[in-house]
Amino acid sequence: MALSAVAAAVTTTSRRPILSKSLSTTSLTTTLTLLFIRKHSPHHSRKLITTMAASSTLTPEQKITAPYGSWSSPITSDVVSGASKGLGGTAVDSQGRLFWLESRPSESGRLVIVKGGNDENEETIDVTPKEFSVRTVAQEYGGGDFSISGGTLVFSNHKDQRLYKQSLDSKDSAPVPLTPDYGGPLVSYADGVYDTSLNRYISVMEDRRESSLDAITSIVSIDLGDNGVKEPKLLISGNDFYAFPRLDPEGKRLAWIEWSHPNMPWDRSELWVGYISDTGDVYKRVCVAGGDSAIIESPTEPKWSDEGELFFVTDRKTGFWNLHRWVESDNTVAPVYSLEAEFAKPLWVFGMNSYEILKEHKNLIACSYRQKGRSYLGVVDKNKNTLSILQTPFTDLMNITSGVRCLYVEGASGVHPLSIAKVTLDDVASNVVDFKIVWSSSPTSSQYKSYFSSPEFIEFPTEVPGENAYAYYYPPTNPNYQSSQEEKPPLLLKSHGGPTAETRGILSLVVQFWTSRGWAFVDVNYGGSTGYGREFRERLLKRWGIVDVNDCCSCAQFLVDSGKADAGRLCITGGSAGGYTTLAALAFKKTFKAGASLYGVADLKLLKEETHKFESRYMDNLVGGEKEFFERRQGCAT
């Protein structure tokens, strides 16, 4: 959910950028923590606020018995706000070298492409010069910021949003602009691929020169020659949104995803293939999936094999995003492997890569999928219709990049922060023979491992008979403290943003800030969240501010009834769309005693009027018309 029309209400926060999220969270949570300490143990609090407990492992007899919420922890707000770098994607060049895009809090959030070493002893190298930051703002949330082919890098520069070309083979190669200077960051590019046959770069283009609220999106080609900057050449246009332009190995067919208002890409979208002439124009188009009004589906992530076969992910018939292939001869779609699991994520950002066709094994597809609250890494045999699960320490997976006889996997777990792991497979790609983390978003977090609370996946009943929702529960954990047996812990419940998104049970120092101080923490996937199929995702249609609020209250009550939380000390928090859920729960329900809305939506009408094009019709499906907007504001809808 965009930051437009967000406001402070029932909290002390005001409109703030995303980069201040961690500091804002910990500042507010520290206030709530001290409030609970002073209420339940005023004398003990003065001691704990000024001292730190020893980190050595203690027996139950040696531990300090103190009220929940009053425990001392080395995971401070400074540790939380400065701990993690962000990850914006990975790529491999023609020599098999790994590159990744990382954001650096120490450099005001600058995004830098880094080249990994060939072995453990070789240092990483920053590819991006200091005067550049690699980021596109296309479709507000960006993604697909860079691409590598051979020894050439093309990237979007944050300041002017122009595309630049840079040689990776020359140590001090300076980026050269590819697209025109329009007098400001008015035109953005994303999700590009190389057309080596015509020496050009094919990309999504978002043009905001006429209107920032009604940008024109298209697919264009950009000349990669050395003949100076040229205007992009228009290839595909006419619809509201485009993503995933993907070229076949011979450069003769271009696949892409498109969709139109009022749909979001996970509601309904279409997969098209265009045939390319010798001059580089698209002269013929075929709708592969999504064009039949009788079939509700949202195809995504098209990809060509080296043999020219088109694969993609869609949720037709089953309601789960599964792998499919296009049968070009009769323009039909065939499933590759069917499972009640999600093999893709909602298209909030460009450049997602949930599967790779293995070059060493033409019939095998390495993939990640999501089922019942965790991720799995697997290999699908497209000819035999079988799936082999690959065992790794990660319980959460994002993107996959194919390397030389290995996979580079973006993942995390309850004890691993977001990381890149090199996963080496055996000769038949059925087992993992080596797993090595080559990059970590928070390499120093392991020093607090004894304080980490492990997530417990829970399924709880909602207000609707027969319908359940899901969450991750983190119990209070501190190696130096324990509570009395009679006391139940205070609970902080988090409602994730989106709202069409999913919270995941991975290591977060924000969560550990709370649990190490004696709070229980629960992260809720309410009805409408992703990761559980279309039927679960569509529970929120026309009912945002109702289903999410009710599910959060049901989760809190479930934990109280299970003896895992104190009914008199329930709090709620959330940011952006989760902030709206927080405000609605505090205003219209009696479950929670306090809450913190971080850059939360407080005015649905204003949000709809001011937000960017990508989400400008989002609330048509989430809320409805003027009547529903009024009812939601009054809290009288049921």
Side-chain angles (χ1 to χ4, degrees), residues 4 23 26 47 79 95 125 150 225-226 231 252 267 272 303 305 358 366 392 419 429 461 521 548 606 612:
S4 306
L23 184 59
T26 51
K47 176 183 176 182
V79 169
Q95 300 178 43
I125 299 173
D226 299 322
E231 283 286 338
K252 297 299 183 182
D267 294 325
W272 287 75
K303 184 170 297 187
S305 70
L358 298 181
T392 77
S419 306
F521 191 101
D548 48 324
L606 187 61
H612 52 94

Side-chain angles (χ1 to χ4, degrees), residues 11 141 190 204 208 297-298 316 319-320 354 370-371 439 472 494 516 556 573 580 585 593 596 606 623 626:
T11 73
Y141 301 113
V204 174
R208 301 179 297 279
E297 63 178 324
S298 48
R316 59 167 53 195
F320 288 89
S354 302
R370 194 93 178 138
Q371 188 177 49
W439 178 88
Y472 299 96
K494 181 184 175 184
S516 63
T573 188
Y580 172 68
K593 304 299 182 185
L606 187 61
V623 180
E626 290 294 328

Side-chain angles (χ1 to χ4, degrees), residues 378-531:
V379 174
V380 170
D381 189 317
K382 64 181 183 179
N383 296 331
K384 297 180 180 178
N385 192 33
T386 59
L387 171 67
S388 302
I389 297 177
L390 302 175
Q391 300 296 332
T392 77
F394 289 157
T395 58
D396 183 84
L397 301 171
M398 301 300 288
N399 296 312
I400 299 174
T401 299
S402 184
V404 179
R405 293 182 295 279
C406 70
L407 300 170
Y408 291 103
V409 178
E410 301 171 25
S413 73
V415 294
H416 294 94
L418 178 61
S419 306
I420 303 173
K422 181 180 180 180
V423 181
T424 305
L425 307 181
D426 62 14
D427 292 340
V428 293
S430 61
N431 291 289
V432 175
V433 296
D434 189 39
F435 177 91
K436 183 184 300 180
I437 291 179
V438 297
W439 178 88
S440 173
S441 62
S442 183
T444 62
S445 62
S446 60
Q447 66 183 292
Y448 306 108
K449 189 174 182 178
S450 63
Y451 291 84
F452 290 167
S453 175
S454 297
E456 174 191 341
F457 180 70
I458 62 172
E459 183 174 354
F460 61 91
T462 68
E463 288 193 355
V464 179
E467 288 188 358
N468 292 346
Y470 310 92
Y472 299 96
Y473 173 78
Y474 299 80
T477 304
N478 189 305
N480 307 310
Y481 288 87
Q482 62 187 1
S483 69
S484 65
Q485 294 184 353
E486 296 78 17
E487 186 187 8
K488 304 301 180 186
L491 175 74
L492 179 62
L493 181 146
K494 181 184 175 184
S495 172
H496 65 69
T500 311
E502 179 188 7
T503 192
R504 300 187 172 204
I506 63 176
L507 179 62
S508 165
L509 290 185
V510 173
V511 174
Q512 305 303 328
F513 174 93
W514 286 96
T515 56
S516 63
R517 285 169 168 77
W519 280 69
F521 191 101
V522 66
D523 218 343
V524 180
N525 277 319
Y526 47 78
S529 302
T530 59

Side-chain angles (χ1 to χ4, degrees), residues 301-347:
E301 292 197 49
K303 184 170 297 187
W304 299 92
S305 70
D306 288 344
E307 293 73 37
E309 192 172 16
L310 180 63
F311 294 86
F312 60 99
V313 179
T314 189
D315 58 347
R316 59 167 53 195
K317 297 183 180 179
T318 67
F320 288 89
W321 276 313
N322 284 187
L323 285 165
H324 290 71
R325 77 176 100 202
W326 177 41
V327 183
E328 185 177 10
S329 59
D330 57 1
N331 191 27
T332 57
V333 171
V336 174
Y337 188 81
S338 298
L339 186 69
E340 287 194 359
E342 299 281 54
F343 284 74
K345 298 176 291 295
L347 205 165

Side-chain angles (χ1 to χ4, degrees), residues 540-562:
L540 209 60
L541 295 184
K542 299 293 191 285
R543 296 182 66 78
W544 184 35
I546 302 172
V547 169
D548 48 324
V549 171
N550 289 341
D551 286 358
C552 286
C553 293
S554 295
C555 182
Q557 188 60 52
F558 174 79
L559 292 173
V560 169
D561 295 342
S562 302

Side-chain angles (χ1 to χ4, degrees), residues 261-273:
H261 282 319
N263 292 312
M264 299 299 283
W266 48 83
D267 294 325
R268 295 198 74 147
S269 59
E270 297 174 358
L271 168 61
W272 287 75
V273 169

